[in-house]
Amino acid sequence: MSGSISGLQSIMSCKSKTKKLDISLAQWSLHRSLRSGKIDNLDFAKITKEKFGINAIEYVNTFFFEKAKDKAYLAEMRMRAEDIGVSSLLIMCDNEGSLGNPDSDKRNNAVESHYKWHEAAKYLGCHSIRVNAYLANSFNEINVQDYHMTDTYQDQIGFAAEGLRKLTEFGAALNMNTIVENHGGLSSNGSWLAAVVRAVDHPRCGTLPDFGNFLIAEGMMYDRYKGVKELMPYAKAVSAKSNEFDLDGKEINTDYYKMMRIVIESGYNGFIGIEYEGNRLDEISGIIATKELLIKSIENLRY
């Protein structure tokens, strides 16, 4: 691990603009250890700092799903992070219903199910919750050959924007952001998701571009570089997805040098969240490899 830079405390100059980028760790990077009980959710902040030298974290709600309203538990989470100087940035929220459901009752229920996560994130000191905007619960639910030629594409912009706007307004009252990730289905179409955020038209609604989540449906992959470029103007967080590395330490699916150039040239000034989900390297090694690649890819950019 590159010990000379803790959490990437480096300043990057982009022509006449100077941007500061820091590294955070997404909790999903340790999902196997958390699910098996090898790691406890309450130890996430400590492990992030001690093992990786990273001072900012991104939670996933499924690892403390029943604790959203448990103030004692949340207080313990907050204390453990604050005591060691680790910042809590956001909660990634899943399994709370579809914000873009065409059924208005189901859509409203999904919106209201997320309210508690805004409140929990606020209590933990986060700036955002990450939500999902698409309808489909699995890639195979989008089974038309060309969804651009159906009503689904345009209709879902309206449904998703309506649900997101309501949730965004709730969060805004708490000074919280509601951000959307490209996370399967229509949301993995960068143009579609950017259109949704524009339709919401609220400064507290943005995106969380993920380097790797561009599988729309079986056999239907969106160009990841095009997608990230389309989503970066609205980004309030960025997810550096990694799966597998070659012998030179490069991620085999994503050109990090190309991707980080897109991120920096967008004017983004914030955290890059490591999200390792590969199988060949163990979780610890995968996180370290991703951090080293991120640092190298940024340091070697020349303007």
Side-chain angles (χ1 to χ4, degrees), residues 1 5-9 22-26 44-58 84-87 89 271-274 287-288 290-291 294-295:
M1 179 170 61
I5 302 179
S6 176
L8 191 56
Q9 303 299 317
D22 292 301
I23 287 178
S24 55
L25 181 64
F44 176 48
K46 179 181 179 181
I47 290 168
T48 298
K49 179 147 188 157
E50 292 184 352
K51 286 192 177 293
F52 310 114
I54 294 173
N55 299 315
I57 51 180
E58 303 170 12
I84 57 174
V86 171
S87 299
L89 301 182
F271 286 87
I272 309 294
I274 292 172
I287 292 167
I288 291 171
T290 309
K291 182 184 177 184
L294 267 178
I295 292 172

PDB file of all heavy atoms in Angstrom, residues 1 5-9 22-26 44-58 84-87 89 271-274 287-288 290-291 294-295:
ATOM      1  N   MET A   1       0.853  -1.192   0.000  1.00  0.00           N
ATOM      2  CA  MET A   1       0.000   0.000   0.000  1.00  0.00           C
ATOM      3  C   MET A   1       0.880   1.230   0.000  1.00  0.00           C
ATOM      4  O   MET A   1       1.900   1.280   0.666  1.00  0.00           O
ATOM      5  CB  MET A   1      -0.918  -0.003   1.222  1.00  0.00           C
ATOM      6  CG  MET A   1      -1.840   1.219   1.310  1.00  0.00           C
ATOM      7  SD  MET A   1      -3.089   1.010   2.589  1.00  0.00           S
ATOM      8  CE  MET A   1      -2.066   0.855   4.043  1.00  0.00           C
ATOM      9  N   ILE A   5       0.684   8.616   0.966  1.00  0.00           N
ATOM     10  CA  ILE A   5      -0.514   9.436   0.802  1.00  0.00           C
ATOM     11  C   ILE A   5      -1.651   8.776   1.561  1.00  0.00           C
ATOM     12  O   ILE A   5      -2.104   7.706   1.202  1.00  0.00           O
ATOM     13  CB  ILE A   5      -0.901   9.587  -0.674  1.00  0.00           C
ATOM     14  CG1 ILE A   5       0.253  10.209  -1.460  1.00  0.00           C
ATOM     15  CG2 ILE A   5      -2.137  10.463  -0.811  1.00  0.00           C
ATOM     16  CD1 ILE A   5      -0.033  10.370  -2.925  1.00  0.00           C
ATOM     17  N   SER A   6      -2.106   9.375   2.615  1.00  0.00           N
ATOM     18  CA  SER A   6      -3.201   8.835   3.413  1.00  0.00           C
ATOM     19  C   SER A   6      -4.504   9.416   2.930  1.00  0.00           C
ATOM     20  O   SER A   6      -4.752  10.606   3.070  1.00  0.00           O
ATOM     21  CB  SER A   6      -2.990   9.181   4.887  1.00  0.00           C
ATOM     22  OG  SER A   6      -4.079   8.740   5.643  1.00  0.00           O
ATOM     23  N   GLY A   7      -5.369   8.526   2.364  1.00  0.00           N
ATOM     24  CA  GLY A   7      -6.647   8.996   1.860  1.00  0.00           C
ATOM     25  C   GLY A   7      -6.489   9.926   0.675  1.00  0.00           C
ATOM     26  O   GLY A   7      -7.396  10.682   0.347  1.00  0.00           O
ATOM     27  N   LEU A   8      -5.331   9.876   0.011  1.00  0.00           N
ATOM     28  CA  LEU A   8      -5.048  10.714  -1.156  1.00  0.00           C
ATOM     29  C   LEU A   8      -5.168  12.190  -0.811  1.00  0.00           C
ATOM     30  O   LEU A   8      -5.966  12.928  -1.362  1.00  0.00           O
ATOM     31  CB  LEU A   8      -5.960  10.364  -2.329  1.00  0.00           C
ATOM     32  CG  LEU A   8      -5.549  11.000  -3.677  1.00  0.00           C
ATOM     33  CD1 LEU A   8      -4.129  10.628  -4.037  1.00  0.00           C
ATOM     34  CD2 LEU A   8      -6.497  10.596  -4.756  1.00  0.00           C
ATOM     35  N   GLN A   9      -4.341  12.648   0.130  1.00  0.00           N
ATOM     36  CA  GLN A   9      -4.336  14.057   0.511  1.00  0.00           C
ATOM     37  C   GLN A   9      -3.473  14.815  -0.492  1.00  0.00           C
ATOM     38  O   GLN A   9      -2.432  15.391  -0.159  1.00  0.00           O
ATOM     39  CB  GLN A   9      -3.791  14.215   1.933  1.00  0.00           C
ATOM     40  CG  GLN A   9      -4.550  13.430   2.982  1.00  0.00           C
ATOM     41  CD  GLN A   9      -6.000  13.860   3.088  1.00  0.00           C
ATOM     42  OE1 GLN A   9      -6.293  15.042   3.074  1.00  0.00           O
ATOM     43  NE2 GLN A   9      -6.895  12.908   3.177  1.00  0.00           N
ATOM     44  N   ASP A  22     -10.061  13.292  -2.606  1.00  0.00           N
ATOM     45  CA  ASP A  22      -9.715  12.397  -1.511  1.00  0.00           C
ATOM     46  C   ASP A  22     -10.351  11.036  -1.760  1.00  0.00           C
ATOM     47  O   ASP A  22     -11.349  10.911  -2.467  1.00  0.00           O
ATOM     48  CB  ASP A  22     -10.217  12.955  -0.186  1.00  0.00           C
ATOM     49  CG  ASP A  22      -9.484  14.207   0.227  1.00  0.00           C
ATOM     50  OD1 ASP A  22      -8.259  14.143   0.371  1.00  0.00           O
ATOM     51  OD2 ASP A  22     -10.136  15.249   0.407  1.00  0.00           O
ATOM     52  N   ILE A  23      -9.788  10.027  -1.128  1.00  0.00           N
ATOM     53  CA  ILE A  23     -10.292   8.669  -1.263  1.00  0.00           C
ATOM     54  C   ILE A  23     -11.153   8.314  -0.053  1.00  0.00           C
ATOM     55  O   ILE A  23     -10.805   8.614   1.091  1.00  0.00           O
ATOM     56  CB  ILE A  23      -9.135   7.661  -1.400  1.00  0.00           C
ATOM     57  CG1 ILE A  23      -8.497   7.783  -2.793  1.00  0.00           C
ATOM     58  CG2 ILE A  23      -9.618   6.236  -1.180  1.00  0.00           C
ATOM     59  CD1 ILE A  23      -7.319   6.867  -3.010  1.00  0.00           C
ATOM     60  N   SER A  24     -12.270   7.663  -0.324  1.00  0.00           N
ATOM     61  CA  SER A  24     -13.124   7.093   0.722  1.00  0.00           C
ATOM     62  C   SER A  24     -13.276   5.596   0.454  1.00  0.00           C
ATOM     63  O   SER A  24     -12.852   5.107  -0.599  1.00  0.00           O
ATOM     64  CB  SER A  24     -14.497   7.784   0.738  1.00  0.00           C
ATOM     65  OG  SER A  24     -15.104   7.730  -0.538  1.00  0.00           O
ATOM     66  N   LEU A  25     -13.868   4.900   1.384  1.00  0.00           N
ATOM     67  CA  LEU A  25     -14.087   3.462   1.212  1.00  0.00           C
ATOM     68  C   LEU A  25     -15.563   3.136   1.320  1.00  0.00           C
ATOM     69  O   LEU A  25     -16.208   3.454   2.330  1.00  0.00           O
ATOM     70  CB  LEU A  25     -13.316   2.656   2.263  1.00  0.00           C
ATOM     71  CG  LEU A  25     -13.468   1.125   2.159  1.00  0.00           C
ATOM     72  CD1 LEU A  25     -12.893   0.603   0.846  1.00  0.00           C
ATOM     73  CD2 LEU A  25     -12.812   0.427   3.343  1.00  0.00           C
ATOM     74  N   ALA A  26     -16.101   2.509   0.292  1.00  0.00           N
ATOM     75  CA  ALA A  26     -17.480   2.038   0.306  1.00  0.00           C
ATOM     76  C   ALA A  26     -17.554   0.722   1.072  1.00  0.00           C
ATOM     77  O   ALA A  26     -16.749  -0.193   0.838  1.00  0.00           O
ATOM     78  CB  ALA A  26     -17.992   1.858  -1.117  1.00  0.00           C
ATOM     79  N   PHE A  44     -16.386  -0.919  11.146  1.00  0.00           N
ATOM     80  CA  PHE A  44     -16.050  -0.505   9.782  1.00  0.00           C
ATOM     81  C   PHE A  44     -15.126   0.713   9.758  1.00  0.00           C
ATOM     82  O   PHE A  44     -14.124   0.739   9.033  1.00  0.00           O
ATOM     83  CB  PHE A  44     -17.337  -0.218   9.004  1.00  0.00           C
ATOM     84  CG  PHE A  44     -17.127   0.304   7.614  1.00  0.00           C
ATOM     85  CD1 PHE A  44     -16.236  -0.294   6.740  1.00  0.00           C
ATOM     86  CD2 PHE A  44     -17.845   1.414   7.170  1.00  0.00           C
ATOM     87  CE1 PHE A  44     -16.044   0.197   5.447  1.00  0.00           C
ATOM     88  CE2 PHE A  44     -17.670   1.912   5.884  1.00  0.00           C
ATOM     89  CZ  PHE A  44     -16.761   1.309   5.031  1.00  0.00           C
ATOM     90  N   ALA A  45     -15.416   1.713  10.549  1.00  0.00           N
ATOM     91  CA  ALA A  45     -14.586   2.926  10.557  1.00  0.00           C
ATOM     92  C   ALA A  45     -13.157   2.608  11.004  1.00  0.00           C
ATOM     93  O   ALA A  45     -12.185   3.066  10.385  1.00  0.00           O
ATOM     94  CB  ALA A  45     -15.209   3.978  11.466  1.00  0.00           C
ATOM     95  N   LYS A  46     -13.026   1.834  12.065  1.00  0.00           N
ATOM     96  CA  LYS A  46     -11.701   1.486  12.594  1.00  0.00           C
ATOM     97  C   LYS A  46     -10.889   0.700  11.573  1.00  0.00           C
ATOM     98  O   LYS A  46      -9.695   0.988  11.351  1.00  0.00           O
ATOM     99  CB  LYS A  46     -11.867   0.667  13.872  1.00  0.00           C
ATOM    100  CG  LYS A  46     -10.558   0.235  14.508  1.00  0.00           C
ATOM    101  CD  LYS A  46     -10.807  -0.591  15.760  1.00  0.00           C
ATOM    102  CE  LYS A  46      -9.484  -1.043  16.378  1.00  0.00           C
ATOM    103  NZ  LYS A  46      -9.718  -1.875  17.590  1.00  0.00           N
ATOM    104  N   ILE A  47     -11.511  -0.279  10.937  1.00  0.00           N
ATOM    105  CA  ILE A  47     -10.809  -1.083   9.936  1.00  0.00           C
ATOM    106  C   ILE A  47     -10.372  -0.220   8.761  1.00  0.00           C
ATOM    107  O   ILE A  47      -9.253  -0.360   8.248  1.00  0.00           O
ATOM    108  CB  ILE A  47     -11.722  -2.233   9.469  1.00  0.00           C
ATOM    109  CG1 ILE A  47     -11.885  -3.263  10.589  1.00  0.00           C
ATOM    110  CG2 ILE A  47     -11.170  -2.904   8.213  1.00  0.00           C
ATOM    111  CD1 ILE A  47     -12.977  -4.271  10.350  1.00  0.00           C
ATOM    112  N   THR A  48     -11.236   0.686   8.345  1.00  0.00           N
ATOM    113  CA  THR A  48     -10.925   1.559   7.216  1.00  0.00           C
ATOM    114  C   THR A  48      -9.685   2.397   7.491  1.00  0.00           C
ATOM    115  O   THR A  48      -8.803   2.541   6.634  1.00  0.00           O
ATOM    116  CB  THR A  48     -12.120   2.481   6.911  1.00  0.00           C
ATOM    117  OG1 THR A  48     -13.238   1.674   6.537  1.00  0.00           O
ATOM    118  CG2 THR A  48     -11.804   3.440   5.780  1.00  0.00           C
ATOM    119  N   LYS A  49      -9.593   2.931   8.693  1.00  0.00           N
ATOM    120  CA  LYS A  49      -8.450   3.775   9.042  1.00  0.00           C
ATOM    121  C   LYS A  49      -7.189   2.949   9.279  1.00  0.00           C
ATOM    122  O   LYS A  49      -6.113   3.280   8.764  1.00  0.00           O
ATOM    123  CB  LYS A  49      -8.775   4.595  10.278  1.00  0.00           C
ATOM    124  CG  LYS A  49      -7.618   5.481  10.725  1.00  0.00           C
ATOM    125  CD  LYS A  49      -8.109   6.764  11.325  1.00  0.00           C
ATOM    126  CE  LYS A  49      -6.939   7.709  11.584  1.00  0.00           C
ATOM    127  NZ  LYS A  49      -7.358   9.092  11.656  1.00  0.00           N
ATOM    128  N   GLU A  50      -7.314   1.880  10.057  1.00  0.00           N
ATOM    129  CA  GLU A  50      -6.127   1.141  10.468  1.00  0.00           C
ATOM    130  C   GLU A  50      -5.529   0.297   9.348  1.00  0.00           C
ATOM    131  O   GLU A  50      -4.300   0.204   9.229  1.00  0.00           O
ATOM    132  CB  GLU A  50      -6.454   0.260  11.670  1.00  0.00           C
ATOM    133  CG  GLU A  50      -6.747   1.051  12.939  1.00  0.00           C
ATOM    134  CD  GLU A  50      -6.979   0.172  14.148  1.00  0.00           C
ATOM    135  OE1 GLU A  50      -7.063  -1.075  13.979  1.00  0.00           O
ATOM    136  OE2 GLU A  50      -7.091   0.722  15.274  1.00  0.00           O
ATOM    137  N   LYS A  51      -6.355  -0.319   8.536  1.00  0.00           N
ATOM    138  CA  LYS A  51      -5.841  -1.210   7.494  1.00  0.00           C
ATOM    139  C   LYS A  51      -5.506  -0.486   6.194  1.00  0.00           C
ATOM    140  O   LYS A  51      -4.613  -0.915   5.459  1.00  0.00           O
ATOM    141  CB  LYS A  51      -6.844  -2.338   7.210  1.00  0.00           C
ATOM    142  CG  LYS A  51      -6.889  -3.399   8.295  1.00  0.00           C
ATOM    143  CD  LYS A  51      -7.660  -4.601   7.837  1.00  0.00           C
ATOM    144  CE  LYS A  51      -7.635  -5.707   8.893  1.00  0.00           C
ATOM    145  NZ  LYS A  51      -6.280  -6.286   9.094  1.00  0.00           N
ATOM    146  N   PHE A  52      -6.218   0.613   5.909  1.00  0.00           N
ATOM    147  CA  PHE A  52      -6.066   1.233   4.595  1.00  0.00           C
ATOM    148  C   PHE A  52      -5.615   2.693   4.637  1.00  0.00           C
ATOM    149  O   PHE A  52      -5.351   3.285   3.598  1.00  0.00           O
ATOM    150  CB  PHE A  52      -7.391   1.131   3.821  1.00  0.00           C
ATOM    151  CG  PHE A  52      -7.966  -0.251   3.814  1.00  0.00           C
ATOM    152  CD1 PHE A  52      -9.165  -0.524   4.473  1.00  0.00           C
ATOM    153  CD2 PHE A  52      -7.311  -1.293   3.185  1.00  0.00           C
ATOM    154  CE1 PHE A  52      -9.700  -1.800   4.488  1.00  0.00           C
ATOM    155  CE2 PHE A  52      -7.835  -2.578   3.188  1.00  0.00           C
ATOM    156  CZ  PHE A  52      -9.023  -2.833   3.844  1.00  0.00           C
ATOM    157  N   GLY A  53      -5.539   3.285   5.828  1.00  0.00           N
ATOM    158  CA  GLY A  53      -5.139   4.680   5.911  1.00  0.00           C
ATOM    159  C   GLY A  53      -6.114   5.623   5.247  1.00  0.00           C
ATOM    160  O   GLY A  53      -5.752   6.681   4.738  1.00  0.00           O
ATOM    161  N   ILE A  54      -7.396   5.259   5.274  1.00  0.00           N
ATOM    162  CA  ILE A  54      -8.457   6.052   4.649  1.00  0.00           C
ATOM    163  C   ILE A  54      -9.316   6.655   5.754  1.00  0.00           C
ATOM    164  O   ILE A  54      -9.676   5.975   6.713  1.00  0.00           O
ATOM    165  CB  ILE A  54      -9.296   5.184   3.697  1.00  0.00           C
ATOM    166  CG1 ILE A  54      -8.431   4.726   2.519  1.00  0.00           C
ATOM    167  CG2 ILE A  54     -10.526   5.934   3.195  1.00  0.00           C
ATOM    168  CD1 ILE A  54      -9.108   3.722   1.594  1.00  0.00           C
ATOM    169  N   ASN A  55      -9.664   7.917   5.586  1.00  0.00           N
ATOM    170  CA  ASN A  55     -10.342   8.649   6.658  1.00  0.00           C
ATOM    171  C   ASN A  55     -11.778   9.038   6.339  1.00  0.00           C
ATOM    172  O   ASN A  55     -12.314   9.963   6.967  1.00  0.00           O
ATOM    173  CB  ASN A  55      -9.544   9.917   6.992  1.00  0.00           C
ATOM    174  CG  ASN A  55      -8.145   9.607   7.486  1.00  0.00           C
ATOM    175  OD1 ASN A  55      -7.956   8.721   8.312  1.00  0.00           O
ATOM    176  ND2 ASN A  55      -7.155  10.322   6.973  1.00  0.00           N
ATOM    177  N   ALA A  56     -12.406   8.359   5.393  1.00  0.00           N
ATOM    178  CA  ALA A  56     -13.798   8.665   5.051  1.00  0.00           C
ATOM    179  C   ALA A  56     -14.484   7.385   4.601  1.00  0.00           C
ATOM    180  O   ALA A  56     -13.886   6.554   3.907  1.00  0.00           O
ATOM    181  CB  ALA A  56     -13.862   9.721   3.953  1.00  0.00           C
ATOM    182  N   ILE A  57     -15.764   7.230   4.987  1.00  0.00           N
ATOM    183  CA  ILE A  57     -16.472   5.975   4.730  1.00  0.00           C
ATOM    184  C   ILE A  57     -17.857   6.221   4.146  1.00  0.00           C
ATOM    185  O   ILE A  57     -18.480   7.257   4.373  1.00  0.00           O
ATOM    186  CB  ILE A  57     -16.587   5.122   6.013  1.00  0.00           C
ATOM    187  CG1 ILE A  57     -17.149   5.958   7.177  1.00  0.00           C
ATOM    188  CG2 ILE A  57     -15.250   4.520   6.362  1.00  0.00           C
ATOM    189  CD1 ILE A  57     -17.288   5.176   8.481  1.00  0.00           C
ATOM    190  N   GLU A  58     -18.312   5.208   3.404  1.00  0.00           N
ATOM    191  CA  GLU A  58     -19.642   5.209   2.796  1.00  0.00           C
ATOM    192  C   GLU A  58     -20.347   3.935   3.243  1.00  0.00           C
ATOM    193  O   GLU A  58     -19.918   2.831   2.923  1.00  0.00           O
ATOM    194  CB  GLU A  58     -19.524   5.255   1.273  1.00  0.00           C
ATOM    195  CG  GLU A  58     -18.735   6.446   0.758  1.00  0.00           C
ATOM    196  CD  GLU A  58     -18.429   6.364  -0.720  1.00  0.00           C
ATOM    197  OE1 GLU A  58     -19.015   5.490  -1.408  1.00  0.00           O
ATOM    198  OE2 GLU A  58     -17.596   7.151  -1.204  1.00  0.00           O
ATOM    199  N   ILE A  84     -11.928   8.513  15.985  1.00  0.00           N
ATOM    200  CA  ILE A  84     -10.666   8.235  15.287  1.00  0.00           C
ATOM    201  C   ILE A  84     -10.502   9.124  14.053  1.00  0.00           C
ATOM    202  O   ILE A  84      -9.628   8.889  13.218  1.00  0.00           O
ATOM    203  CB  ILE A  84     -10.556   6.748  14.888  1.00  0.00           C
ATOM    204  CG1 ILE A  84     -11.736   6.307  14.020  1.00  0.00           C
ATOM    205  CG2 ILE A  84     -10.450   5.867  16.136  1.00  0.00           C
ATOM    206  CD1 ILE A  84     -11.589   4.888  13.485  1.00  0.00           C
ATOM    207  N   GLY A  85     -11.345  10.141  13.940  1.00  0.00           N
ATOM    208  CA  GLY A  85     -11.183  11.100  12.854  1.00  0.00           C
ATOM    209  C   GLY A  85     -11.602  10.602  11.492  1.00  0.00           C
ATOM    210  O   GLY A  85     -11.045  11.015  10.466  1.00  0.00           O
ATOM    211  N   VAL A  86     -12.597   9.728  11.446  1.00  0.00           N
ATOM    212  CA  VAL A  86     -13.116   9.218  10.177  1.00  0.00           C
ATOM    213  C   VAL A  86     -14.444   9.907   9.862  1.00  0.00           C
ATOM    214  O   VAL A  86     -15.348   9.946  10.710  1.00  0.00           O
ATOM    215  CB  VAL A  86     -13.308   7.685  10.229  1.00  0.00           C
ATOM    216  CG1 VAL A  86     -14.050   7.190   8.990  1.00  0.00           C
ATOM    217  CG2 VAL A  86     -11.945   6.996  10.342  1.00  0.00           C
ATOM    218  N   SER A  87     -14.563  10.439   8.669  1.00  0.00           N
ATOM    219  CA  SER A  87     -15.782  11.136   8.248  1.00  0.00           C
ATOM    220  C   SER A  87     -16.782  10.159   7.643  1.00  0.00           C
ATOM    221  O   SER A  87     -16.419   9.308   6.820  1.00  0.00           O
ATOM    222  CB  SER A  87     -15.447  12.208   7.208  1.00  0.00           C
ATOM    223  OG  SER A  87     -14.564  13.172   7.742  1.00  0.00           O
ATOM    224  N   LEU A  89     -19.703   9.796   5.091  1.00  0.00           N
ATOM    225  CA  LEU A  89     -20.085  10.581   3.919  1.00  0.00           C
ATOM    226  C   LEU A  89     -21.515  10.337   3.460  1.00  0.00           C
ATOM    227  O   LEU A  89     -22.235  11.272   3.124  1.00  0.00           O
ATOM    228  CB  LEU A  89     -19.138  10.295   2.755  1.00  0.00           C
ATOM    229  CG  LEU A  89     -17.654  10.573   3.000  1.00  0.00           C
ATOM    230  CD1 LEU A  89     -16.866  10.270   1.727  1.00  0.00           C
ATOM    231  CD2 LEU A  89     -17.427  12.002   3.449  1.00  0.00           C
ATOM    232  N   PHE A 271     -14.784  13.278  -2.958  1.00  0.00           N
ATOM    233  CA  PHE A 271     -14.234  11.961  -2.662  1.00  0.00           C
ATOM    234  C   PHE A 271     -14.446  10.980  -3.812  1.00  0.00           C
ATOM    235  O   PHE A 271     -15.472  11.019  -4.494  1.00  0.00           O
ATOM    236  CB  PHE A 271     -14.882  11.390  -1.397  1.00  0.00           C
ATOM    237  CG  PHE A 271     -14.397  12.041  -0.133  1.00  0.00           C
ATOM    238  CD1 PHE A 271     -15.000  13.195   0.346  1.00  0.00           C
ATOM    239  CD2 PHE A 271     -13.335  11.499   0.580  1.00  0.00           C
ATOM    240  CE1 PHE A 271     -14.556  13.800   1.514  1.00  0.00           C
ATOM    241  CE2 PHE A 271     -12.890  12.091   1.752  1.00  0.00           C
ATOM    242  CZ  PHE A 271     -13.487  13.247   2.220  1.00  0.00           C
ATOM    243  N   ILE A 272     -13.470  10.107  -3.975  1.00  0.00           N
ATOM    244  CA  ILE A 272     -13.575   8.968  -4.884  1.00  0.00           C
ATOM    245  C   ILE A 272     -13.684   7.733  -4.000  1.00  0.00           C
ATOM    246  O   ILE A 272     -12.759   7.411  -3.253  1.00  0.00           O
ATOM    247  CB  ILE A 272     -12.339   8.832  -5.798  1.00  0.00           C
ATOM    248  CG1 ILE A 272     -12.021  10.165  -6.489  1.00  0.00           C
ATOM    249  CG2 ILE A 272     -12.555   7.718  -6.815  1.00  0.00           C
ATOM    250  CD1 ILE A 272     -13.068  10.631  -7.461  1.00  0.00           C
ATOM    251  N   GLY A 273     -14.819   7.052  -4.067  1.00  0.00           N
ATOM    252  CA  GLY A 273     -15.060   5.922  -3.183  1.00  0.00           C
ATOM    253  C   GLY A 273     -14.597   4.607  -3.772  1.00  0.00           C
ATOM    254  O   GLY A 273     -15.047   4.208  -4.851  1.00  0.00           O
ATOM    255  N   ILE A 274     -13.702   3.920  -3.089  1.00  0.00           N
ATOM    256  CA  ILE A 274     -13.273   2.594  -3.519  1.00  0.00           C
ATOM    257  C   ILE A 274     -14.420   1.613  -3.315  1.00  0.00           C
ATOM    258  O   ILE A 274     -14.997   1.529  -2.229  1.00  0.00           O
ATOM    259  CB  ILE A 274     -12.057   2.128  -2.708  1.00  0.00           C
ATOM    260  CG1 ILE A 274     -10.826   2.974  -3.054  1.00  0.00           C
ATOM    261  CG2 ILE A 274     -11.770   0.645  -2.943  1.00  0.00           C
ATOM    262  CD1 ILE A 274      -9.642   2.701  -2.144  1.00  0.00           C
ATOM    263  N   ILE A 287      -8.913  -3.974  -1.988  1.00  0.00           N
ATOM    264  CA  ILE A 287      -9.048  -2.567  -1.610  1.00  0.00           C
ATOM    265  C   ILE A 287      -7.704  -1.855  -1.740  1.00  0.00           C
ATOM    266  O   ILE A 287      -7.614  -0.740  -2.277  1.00  0.00           O
ATOM    267  CB  ILE A 287      -9.597  -2.452  -0.180  1.00  0.00           C
ATOM    268  CG1 ILE A 287     -11.046  -2.938  -0.123  1.00  0.00           C
ATOM    269  CG2 ILE A 287      -9.510  -1.003   0.321  1.00  0.00           C
ATOM    270  CD1 ILE A 287     -11.576  -3.162   1.282  1.00  0.00           C
ATOM    271  N   ILE A 288      -6.647  -2.500  -1.270  1.00  0.00           N
ATOM    272  CA  ILE A 288      -5.310  -1.906  -1.361  1.00  0.00           C
ATOM    273  C   ILE A 288      -4.915  -1.707  -2.825  1.00  0.00           C
ATOM    274  O   ILE A 288      -4.391  -0.647  -3.199  1.00  0.00           O
ATOM    275  CB  ILE A 288      -4.283  -2.789  -0.635  1.00  0.00           C
ATOM    276  CG1 ILE A 288      -4.535  -2.753   0.880  1.00  0.00           C
ATOM    277  CG2 ILE A 288      -2.858  -2.335  -0.950  1.00  0.00           C
ATOM    278  CD1 ILE A 288      -3.712  -3.748   1.668  1.00  0.00           C
ATOM    279  N   THR A 290      -6.859  -1.275  -5.371  1.00  0.00           N
ATOM    280  CA  THR A 290      -7.663  -0.194  -5.939  1.00  0.00           C
ATOM    281  C   THR A 290      -7.153   1.160  -5.486  1.00  0.00           C
ATOM    282  O   THR A 290      -7.054   2.104  -6.284  1.00  0.00           O
ATOM    283  CB  THR A 290      -9.142  -0.349  -5.545  1.00  0.00           C
ATOM    284  OG1 THR A 290      -9.583  -1.669  -5.843  1.00  0.00           O
ATOM    285  CG2 THR A 290     -10.005   0.654  -6.293  1.00  0.00           C
ATOM    286  N   LYS A 291      -6.797   1.271  -4.219  1.00  0.00           N
ATOM    287  CA  LYS A 291      -6.256   2.536  -3.711  1.00  0.00           C
ATOM    288  C   LYS A 291      -4.965   2.900  -4.435  1.00  0.00           C
ATOM    289  O   LYS A 291      -4.769   4.050  -4.854  1.00  0.00           O
ATOM    290  CB  LYS A 291      -6.011   2.452  -2.206  1.00  0.00           C
ATOM    291  CG  LYS A 291      -5.481   3.770  -1.624  1.00  0.00           C
ATOM    292  CD  LYS A 291      -5.136   3.653  -0.147  1.00  0.00           C
ATOM    293  CE  LYS A 291      -4.552   4.987   0.344  1.00  0.00           C
ATOM    294  NZ  LYS A 291      -4.103   4.922   1.745  1.00  0.00           N
ATOM    295  N   LEU A 294      -5.741   4.055  -7.941  1.00  0.00           N
ATOM    296  CA  LEU A 294      -6.331   5.393  -7.939  1.00  0.00           C
ATOM    297  C   LEU A 294      -5.263   6.469  -7.768  1.00  0.00           C
ATOM    298  O   LEU A 294      -5.236   7.472  -8.493  1.00  0.00           O
ATOM    299  CB  LEU A 294      -7.350   5.509  -6.802  1.00  0.00           C
ATOM    300  CG  LEU A 294      -8.812   5.211  -7.127  1.00  0.00           C
ATOM    301  CD1 LEU A 294      -9.652   5.339  -5.864  1.00  0.00           C
ATOM    302  CD2 LEU A 294      -9.339   6.129  -8.212  1.00  0.00           C
ATOM    303  N   ILE A 295      -4.384   6.267  -6.798  1.00  0.00           N
ATOM    304  CA  ILE A 295      -3.327   7.244  -6.549  1.00  0.00           C
ATOM    305  C   ILE A 295      -2.436   7.380  -7.774  1.00  0.00           C
ATOM    306  O   ILE A 295      -2.121   8.493  -8.221  1.00  0.00           O
ATOM    307  CB  ILE A 295      -2.508   6.834  -5.311  1.00  0.00           C
ATOM    308  CG1 ILE A 295      -3.367   6.956  -4.049  1.00  0.00           C
ATOM    309  CG2 ILE A 295      -1.249   7.698  -5.180  1.00  0.00           C
ATOM    310  CD1 ILE A 295      -2.714   6.386  -2.807  1.00  0.00           C
TER     311      ILE A 295
END
